[in-house]
Structure formats: structure tokens, C-alpha cells
Amino acid sequence: AQKITQTQPGMFVQEKEAVTLDCTYDTSDPSYGLFWYKQPSSGEMIFLIYQGSYDQQNATEGRYSLNFQKARKSANLVISASQLGDSAMYFCAMREATTDSWGKFQFGAGTQVVVTP
Amino acid sequence: EPEVTQTPSHQVTQMGQEVILRCVPISNHLYFYWYRQILGQKVEFLVSFYNNEISEKSEIFDDQFSVERPDGSNFTLKIRSTKLEDSAMYFCASSETRGGVNTEAFFGQGTRLTVV
């Protein structure tokens, strides 16, 4: 079964606009972490933001914020004031704390974001 | 800021050749991982490594693959006889913990392997 689902394969957004990237997850583990990574065309994985399952507040990092709705098992990424340099693939990922997972990341399929002038 | 370092950044190899991809994890980390990403596709888990042994591996990680930590700092992925379908970006990651609440992990910048 898919642990991480990203339903938006691609999105266009205008410069200076905000964009929300959807991510839903599936786990029965009470302890887990949710991550968003940016992958530009050069290929490296750039860490953006992290949310722990016990965190009471939504995570924020500069222009990135994570809309964490635990009951709905969603962890959407919001990028405010989009810039041309935000054009990239964005991956949602989860790490669980169950004994048989050994902390591996499970990635969604990604959302390709294109920022237009 | 500490970082995971991977070498080489690019490698081109002939089909059937052996390749070794190298990673230097963050020094106090205990859990190590390899992932691969075929061009344009999702990131796939290959193997996790803890306490000098494999703790988990995926179906992709067959007998052609091996990992080791030869000297306490490097963490290597070896592909014995490369196939065209091994062409991908390979990422190393390391973490102080195995996941959960305190769960930050760090990725290297990747090695792009091309098998010709």
C-alpha cells in the first residue's frame, strides 16, 4: 500500500503567488516524521521542512510552511510568494519509528512545480 | 553545518563493470541508507545499515548489490556487474536515530550513475 500520496503530478504557479502541494500519508505508528524535499533539475535533494507527529504547531521555515492535519493524515506544503527559483520537483516523505522500518524514508511520487513570470 | 558527502558526483561505466559509490556520513550518525532514483521517477529505498550490518533491504537490493563501512567513516555501495537499468541517481543518507519524533536525516548530493 502507498504510504505517501502526492496527487498533483505537476503545477504551474505565477511568480509572487502562493502554492499548496498536497501530501497524504498512511501509518499506524504514533511516532513519525514528515519531510518535504526540493529537487531542482541538477538532481540534489534539498531539505525544506520537517514536522514531527507530536508537534503541536505547524512547522514553518521562511517561505515554507507545513499545514499538518493529523486526523486527516495530511501534510501539505505551502510556498508563499513563489520565485522563479522555486521551479523544481517537490517530494513529501515520511519516516516511521516502528521496529521493522529502521527509519527508512518513504517518498511520494513528487509534484513538479513550474513558476512562471 | 554537518553534511553527508558523496563521491563521485557523476560516474559513467560500461555494462558488466563493477562500481563503488562512496559516502561519508555525518560523524556521530549511526543509521545509514542508500536510495536510488531512476530519472524522472520516485526515490526508492535500497538498504539501511546499522551496527555494521544490513538492517533492512528492499527487493531491488539483490545479490548484485552490497554495502559496507570499511573504515568507520566511509559507507559504500557496490554494484558488482552493472546493467543498463542501474542507471540512476544514488543518494546516501544518514541519521542519528532510526526515525520517529527526533527524526532528522541528511541526504548527500547524490551520485549520478550512467551505465553504457
Side-chain angles (χ1 to χ4, degrees), chain A residues 41-117:
Chain A
S41 56
S42 49
E44 73 269 29
M45 297 287 275
I46 301 169
F47 167 74
L48 295 178
I49 196 165
Y50 157 75
Q51 180 87 43
S53 59
Y54 297 121
D55 293 344
Q56 295 296 312
Q57 292 189 314
N58 287 342
T60 60
E61 287 285 349
R63 294 186 299 111
Y64 304 106
S65 60
L66 201 151
N67 183 4
F68 181 45
Q69 297 187 47
K70 195 169 179 177
R72 295 181 60 189
K73 293 188 174 175
S74 76
N76 298 340
L77 177 71
V78 180
I79 306 173
S80 62
S82 298
Q83 302 170 356
L84 296 177
D86 294 334
S87 294
M89 182 71 94
Y90 289 80
F91 289 100
C92 179
M94 177 173 67
R95 293 182 84 200
E96 298 168 296
T98 51
T99 50
D100 60 351
S101 78
W102 287 94
K104 67 175 181 280
F105 279 84
Q106 297 167 87
F107 284 85
T111 295
Q112 182 72 48
V113 172
V114 176
V115 181
T116 58

Side-chain angles (χ1 to χ4, degrees), chain B residues 3-65:
Chain B
E3 61 179 14
V4 176
T5 307
Q6 288 185 243
T7 54
S9 54
H10 291 90
Q11 172 128 19
V12 181
T13 189
Q14 285 205 320
M15 195 168 55
Q17 295 294 305
E18 175 184 285
V19 294
I20 297 176
L21 309 184
R22 291 185 166 79
C23 170
V24 179
I26 293 169
S27 60
N28 63 331
H29 285 187
L30 302 174
Y31 299 88
F32 312 111
Y33 308 87
W34 282 100
Y35 296 82
R36 82 167 184 196
Q37 184 186 29
I38 294 169
L39 186 64
Q41 298 186 25
K42 83 192 269 187
V43 180
E44 302 170 292
F45 168 74
L46 290 178
V47 66
S48 61
F49 191 85
Y50 169 72
N51 200 25
N52 283 323
E53 59 183 22
I54 290 173
S55 45
E56 186 181 7
K57 59 183 180 180
S58 71
E59 291 171 357
I60 303 166
F61 195 88
D62 61 21
D63 292 343
Q64 292 296 316
F65 292 91

